[in-house]
Amino acid sequence: MKIIAGNWKMNGTREKLKDMITALQNVDTENKMILCVPYTMLSIESGKASLGAQDVSTHDHGAYTGEVSAQMIAEAGAKYVIVGHSERRQYHNETNDIVRQKAEAALSAGLTPIVCVGETMDEKQAGKTMEIIESGVRESIPNDIDKAVIVAYEPRWAIGAGLTPTTEEIAEAHKLIADTLTSMGLAGTPVLYGASVKGSNASEIMSIPNVDGVLVGGASLKPDDFIPIITSVK
Ligand code: PEP
Protein backbone atom coordinates (compact mmCIF):
# COMPACT_ATOMS: atom_id res chain seq x y z
CA MET A 1 0.00 0.00 0.00
CA LYS A 2 1.35 3.40 -1.01
CA ILE A 3 0.11 6.86 -0.09
CA ILE A 4 -0.80 9.02 -3.08
CA ALA A 5 -1.42 12.59 -2.00
CA GLY A 6 -2.40 15.47 -4.25
CA ASN A 7 -1.63 19.12 -3.52
CA TRP A 8 -4.06 21.32 -5.40
CA LYS A 9 -2.37 24.52 -4.22
CA MET A 10 -4.63 27.52 -5.03
CA ASN A 11 -6.40 25.76 -7.88
CA GLY A 12 -9.73 24.14 -8.59
CA THR A 13 -13.34 24.70 -7.64
CA ARG A 14 -15.75 22.77 -5.46
CA GLU A 15 -17.31 21.35 -8.65
CA LYS A 16 -13.91 20.16 -9.92
CA LEU A 17 -13.22 18.47 -6.59
CA LYS A 18 -16.59 16.70 -6.73
CA ASP A 19 -15.73 15.50 -10.25
CA MET A 20 -12.36 14.19 -9.01
CA ILE A 21 -13.98 12.39 -6.07
CA THR A 22 -16.53 10.79 -8.40
CA ALA A 23 -13.73 9.63 -10.71
CA LEU A 24 -11.74 8.19 -7.78
CA GLN A 25 -14.77 6.14 -6.68
CA ASN A 26 -14.19 3.85 -9.67
CA VAL A 27 -10.47 3.37 -9.10
CA ASP A 28 -9.61 -0.15 -8.02
CA THR A 29 -6.71 0.36 -5.62
CA GLU A 30 -5.52 -0.43 -2.12
CA ASN A 31 -3.45 2.74 -2.10
CA LYS A 32 -4.39 5.55 0.26
CA MET A 33 -5.68 8.57 -1.67
CA ILE A 34 -5.44 12.04 -0.13
CA LEU A 35 -6.40 15.37 -1.71
CA CYS A 36 -5.00 18.50 -0.06
CA VAL A 37 -7.26 21.27 -1.28
CA PRO A 38 -8.14 24.91 -0.48
CA TYR A 39 -10.01 25.41 2.81
CA THR A 40 -13.24 26.26 0.98
CA MET A 41 -13.46 22.70 -0.36
CA LEU A 42 -12.81 20.76 2.87
CA SER A 43 -16.46 20.20 3.71
CA ILE A 44 -17.13 18.20 0.53
CA GLU A 45 -17.95 14.50 0.99
CA SER A 46 -14.70 12.82 -0.07
CA GLY A 47 -15.76 9.24 -0.84
CA LYS A 48 -12.80 6.84 -1.08
CA ALA A 49 -10.30 9.67 -0.73
CA SER A 50 -9.42 11.68 2.38
CA LEU A 51 -9.10 15.43 2.40
CA GLY A 52 -6.31 17.59 3.75
CA ALA A 53 -5.55 21.28 4.03
CA GLN A 54 -2.35 22.92 2.80
CA ASP A 55 -1.42 25.04 5.80
CA VAL A 56 -2.52 25.65 9.39
CA SER A 57 -2.09 28.37 11.98
CA THR A 58 0.31 27.82 14.86
CA HIS A 59 -2.40 29.36 17.10
CA ASP A 60 -5.56 27.67 18.27
CA HIS A 61 -7.78 30.78 18.28
CA GLY A 62 -7.67 34.54 18.69
CA ALA A 63 -6.89 37.77 16.86
CA TYR A 64 -5.05 36.32 13.88
CA THR A 65 -7.00 37.69 10.93
CA GLY A 66 -6.99 35.37 7.95
CA GLU A 67 -5.56 32.36 9.76
CA VAL A 68 -7.32 29.02 10.14
CA SER A 69 -6.76 26.79 13.17
CA ALA A 70 -6.20 23.06 13.16
CA GLN A 71 -9.46 22.54 15.05
CA MET A 72 -11.34 24.46 12.36
CA ILE A 73 -9.70 22.38 9.64
CA ALA A 74 -10.64 19.17 11.45
CA GLU A 75 -14.19 20.42 11.98
CA ALA A 76 -14.48 21.14 8.26
CA GLY A 77 -13.77 17.48 7.49
CA ALA A 78 -10.03 17.21 6.85
CA LYS A 79 -7.85 14.44 8.20
CA TYR A 80 -4.48 15.77 7.01
CA VAL A 81 -2.65 19.05 6.61
CA ILE A 82 0.51 19.86 4.68
CA VAL A 83 3.00 21.88 6.74
CA GLY A 84 6.22 23.47 5.54
CA HIS A 85 5.53 23.21 1.83
CA SER A 86 8.29 24.83 -0.23
CA GLU A 87 5.95 27.64 -1.32
CA ARG A 88 5.12 28.46 2.32
CA ARG A 89 8.81 28.44 3.19
CA GLN A 90 9.63 30.62 0.19
CA TYR A 91 6.77 33.15 0.14
CA HIS A 92 5.93 33.24 3.85
CA ASN A 93 9.41 32.76 5.32
CA GLU A 94 8.38 29.66 7.25
CA THR A 95 11.31 28.17 9.15
CA ASN A 96 11.69 24.67 10.56
CA ASP A 97 10.71 26.10 13.94
CA ILE A 98 7.42 27.51 12.61
CA VAL A 99 6.76 24.30 10.69
CA ARG A 100 7.22 22.28 13.91
CA GLN A 101 4.72 24.51 15.72
CA LYS A 102 2.25 23.96 12.88
CA ALA A 103 2.77 20.21 13.07
CA GLU A 104 2.16 20.35 16.84
CA ALA A 105 -1.06 22.31 16.30
CA ALA A 106 -2.20 19.77 13.72
CA LEU A 107 -1.48 16.81 15.98
CA SER A 108 -3.28 18.36 18.92
CA ALA A 109 -6.44 18.66 16.79
CA GLY A 110 -6.21 15.06 15.59
CA LEU A 111 -4.91 15.89 12.12
CA THR A 112 -1.99 14.06 10.54
CA PRO A 113 0.61 16.59 9.38
CA ILE A 114 2.39 15.98 6.09
CA VAL A 115 5.73 17.62 6.91
CA CYS A 116 7.66 18.79 3.85
CA VAL A 117 11.45 19.06 3.78
CA GLY A 118 13.86 19.61 0.92
CA GLU A 119 16.75 21.63 -0.41
CA THR A 120 16.77 24.67 -2.69
CA MET A 121 18.94 24.79 -5.81
CA ASP A 122 21.45 27.02 -4.01
CA GLU A 123 21.69 24.52 -1.16
CA LYS A 124 22.07 21.65 -3.61
CA GLN A 125 24.84 23.44 -5.49
CA ALA A 126 26.59 24.20 -2.21
CA GLY A 127 26.63 20.47 -1.41
CA LYS A 128 24.26 20.93 1.52
CA THR A 129 21.41 18.63 0.43
CA MET A 130 21.88 15.99 3.14
CA GLU A 131 22.45 18.57 5.88
CA ILE A 132 19.26 20.49 4.95
CA ILE A 133 17.21 17.31 4.77
CA GLU A 134 18.41 16.01 8.13
CA SER A 135 17.96 19.32 9.95
CA GLY A 136 14.58 19.72 8.25
CA VAL A 137 13.41 16.40 9.67
CA ARG A 138 14.92 16.90 13.14
CA GLU A 139 13.69 20.48 13.54
CA SER A 140 10.30 20.35 11.79
CA ILE A 141 8.91 17.26 13.51
CA PRO A 142 7.78 17.64 17.12
CA ASN A 143 9.73 15.68 19.76
CA ASP A 144 8.28 12.85 21.79
CA ILE A 145 5.20 12.28 19.70
CA ASP A 146 3.25 9.07 19.71
CA LYS A 147 0.89 10.10 16.91
CA ALA A 148 1.22 9.58 13.19
CA VAL A 149 3.03 12.01 10.95
CA ILE A 150 3.92 11.74 7.29
CA VAL A 151 7.12 13.21 5.86
CA ALA A 152 7.40 14.43 2.27
CA TYR A 153 10.82 14.86 0.69
CA GLU A 154 10.38 17.59 -1.91
CA PRO A 155 13.56 18.88 -3.57
CA ARG A 156 12.50 22.50 -3.86
CA TRP A 157 14.33 23.13 -7.12
CA ALA A 158 12.35 20.35 -8.81
CA ILE A 159 8.81 21.34 -7.77
CA GLY A 160 6.69 22.40 -10.72
CA ALA A 161 9.80 22.50 -12.88
CA GLY A 162 9.43 19.21 -14.72
CA LEU A 163 12.76 18.20 -13.13
CA THR A 164 13.42 15.18 -10.94
CA PRO A 165 16.53 14.09 -9.07
CA THR A 166 18.21 10.86 -10.17
CA THR A 167 17.04 7.56 -8.73
CA GLU A 168 20.25 7.43 -6.69
CA GLU A 169 19.65 10.93 -5.28
CA ILE A 170 16.08 10.04 -4.26
CA ALA A 171 17.27 6.77 -2.72
CA GLU A 172 20.00 8.53 -0.74
CA ALA A 173 17.64 11.23 0.54
CA HIS A 174 14.95 8.73 1.57
CA LYS A 175 17.47 6.48 3.34
CA LEU A 176 18.73 9.48 5.31
CA ILE A 177 15.16 10.48 6.24
CA ALA A 178 14.24 6.92 7.27
CA ASP A 179 17.41 6.62 9.39
CA THR A 180 16.83 10.03 10.97
CA LEU A 181 13.22 9.15 11.80
CA THR A 182 14.38 5.87 13.35
CA SER A 183 16.89 7.72 15.52
CA MET A 184 14.02 9.99 16.64
CA GLY A 185 11.92 6.98 17.69
CA LEU A 186 9.70 7.31 14.62
CA ALA A 187 10.64 4.22 12.65
CA GLY A 188 7.96 3.27 10.16
CA THR A 189 6.84 6.85 9.51
CA PRO A 190 5.79 7.02 5.85
CA VAL A 191 8.05 9.14 3.64
CA LEU A 192 6.62 10.46 0.38
CA TYR A 193 8.57 11.80 -2.58
CA GLY A 194 7.29 14.96 -4.26
CA ALA A 195 8.29 17.11 -7.23
CA SER A 196 7.27 16.63 -10.84
CA VAL A 197 5.67 13.21 -10.32
CA LYS A 198 3.53 12.08 -13.24
CA GLY A 199 2.03 8.90 -14.62
CA SER A 200 5.16 8.11 -16.59
CA ASN A 201 7.62 8.23 -13.65
CA ALA A 202 5.43 7.34 -10.65
CA SER A 203 5.96 3.59 -10.58
CA GLU A 204 9.74 3.88 -10.96
CA ILE A 205 9.91 6.46 -8.16
CA MET A 206 7.72 4.37 -5.87
CA SER A 207 9.92 1.30 -6.43
CA ILE A 208 12.88 3.11 -4.81
CA PRO A 209 13.55 1.81 -1.27
CA ASN A 210 12.04 3.92 1.54
CA VAL A 211 9.65 5.70 -0.83
CA ASP A 212 6.22 5.06 0.67
CA GLY A 213 4.23 7.14 -1.77
CA VAL A 214 4.16 10.45 -3.59
CA LEU A 215 2.98 14.02 -3.10
CA VAL A 216 1.76 15.31 -6.44
CA GLY A 217 1.17 18.93 -7.44
CA GLY A 218 0.25 19.74 -11.03
CA ALA A 219 -0.61 16.18 -12.01
CA SER A 220 -3.18 15.84 -9.20
CA LEU A 221 -5.60 18.37 -10.67
CA LYS A 222 -7.20 16.23 -13.36
CA PRO A 223 -8.43 12.63 -13.05
CA ASP A 224 -6.74 11.73 -16.35
CA ASP A 225 -3.37 12.71 -14.87
CA PHE A 226 -3.90 11.65 -11.25
CA ILE A 227 -5.50 8.23 -11.68
CA PRO A 228 -2.57 6.75 -13.69
CA ILE A 229 -0.28 7.71 -10.78
CA ILE A 230 -2.56 5.97 -8.28
CA THR A 231 -2.85 2.82 -10.39
CA SER A 232 0.85 2.71 -11.32
CA VAL A 233 1.57 0.75 -8.14
CA LYS A 234 -0.25 -1.91 -6.09
C1 PEP B 1 4.11 20.13 -4.86
O1 PEP B 1 3.80 21.31 -5.01
O2 PEP B 1 4.04 19.60 -3.73
C2 PEP B 1 4.56 19.38 -6.02
C3 PEP B 1 5.09 18.21 -5.84
O3 PEP B 1 4.36 19.98 -7.25
P1 PEP B 1 4.62 19.33 -8.71
O4 PEP B 1 4.18 17.89 -8.65
O5 PEP B 1 3.80 20.14 -9.62
O6 PEP B 1 6.09 19.44 -8.94
Side-chain angles (χ1 to χ4, degrees):
M1 198 273 290
K2 300 284 189 187
I3 298 171
I4 316 289
N7 173 16
W8 275 25
K9 312 193 186 195
M10 198 171 68
N11 292 299
T13 59
R14 289 170 60 89
E15 281 315 303
K16 284 204 169 111
L17 179 58
K18 286 179 194 165
D19 290 347
M20 175 66 84
I21 287 164
T22 302
L24 295 183
Q25 286 306 106
N26 300 321
V27 176
D28 182 19
T29 182
E30 311 238 304
N31 296 326
K32 172 88 196 145
M33 302 183 282
I34 302 170
L35 290 165
C36 296
V37 293
Y39 295 128
T40 52
M41 303 177 197
L42 290 176
S43 58
I44 289 171
E45 174 52 53
S46 63
K48 280 187 180 178
S50 299
L51 296 184
Q54 302 169 11
D55 183 37
V56 62
S57 178
T58 57
H59 305 285
D60 57 10
H61 68 279
Y64 301 103
T65 303
E67 296 202 25
V68 180
S69 76
Q71 194 62 49
M72 293 167 182
I73 290 170
E75 187 183 40
K79 299 274 182 267
Y80 298 86
V81 60
I82 296 173
V83 293
H85 188 274
S86 167
E87 288 144 21
R88 299 293 312 177
R89 291 178 186 262
Q90 181 178 353
Y91 304 132
H92 301 271
N93 301 318
E94 290 190 7
T95 59
N96 288 338
D97 187 43
I98 292 172
V99 174
R100 193 189 64 256
Q101 292 176 49
K102 292 189 171 202
E104 281 165 357
L107 289 167
S108 66
L111 297 169
T112 299
I114 302 174
V115 182
C116 299
V117 298
E119 76 286 1
T120 63
M121 182 53 96
D122 283 352
E123 290 161 346
K124 178 179 169 63
Q125 285 173 342
K128 290 187 174 164
T129 298
M130 293 296 126
E131 188 188 315
I132 293 294
I133 292 172
E134 183 170 351
S135 58
V137 172
R138 289 197 185 279
E139 295 169 15
S140 304
I141 295 179
N143 289 324
D144 299 327
I145 50 169
D146 56 4
K147 295 181 187 135
V149 296
I150 295 173
V151 174
Y153 169 54
E154 296 210 303
R156 294 171 59 180
W157 51 272
I159 293 177
L163 301 170
T164 43
T166 64
T167 300
E168 291 70 29
E169 286 172 328
I170 296 175
E172 195 185 358
H174 279 252
K175 165 114 182 41
L176 173 64
I177 294 170
D179 290 347
T180 305
L181 288 165
T182 299
S183 78
M184 294 167 71
L186 295 170
T189 294
V191 184
L192 314 184
Y193 168 80
S196 302
V197 175
K198 41 190 190 279
S200 55
N201 62 14
S203 101
E204 189 184 339
I205 289 171
M206 284 189 273
S207 69
I208 298 171
N210 301 306
V211 176
D212 302 305
V214 285
L215 179 56
V216 185
S220 69
L221 290 169
K222 293 187 194 148
D224 284 355
D225 295 329
F226 196 41
I227 291 172
I229 296 173
I230 298 165
T231 56
S232 71
V233 286
K234 286 279 169 217

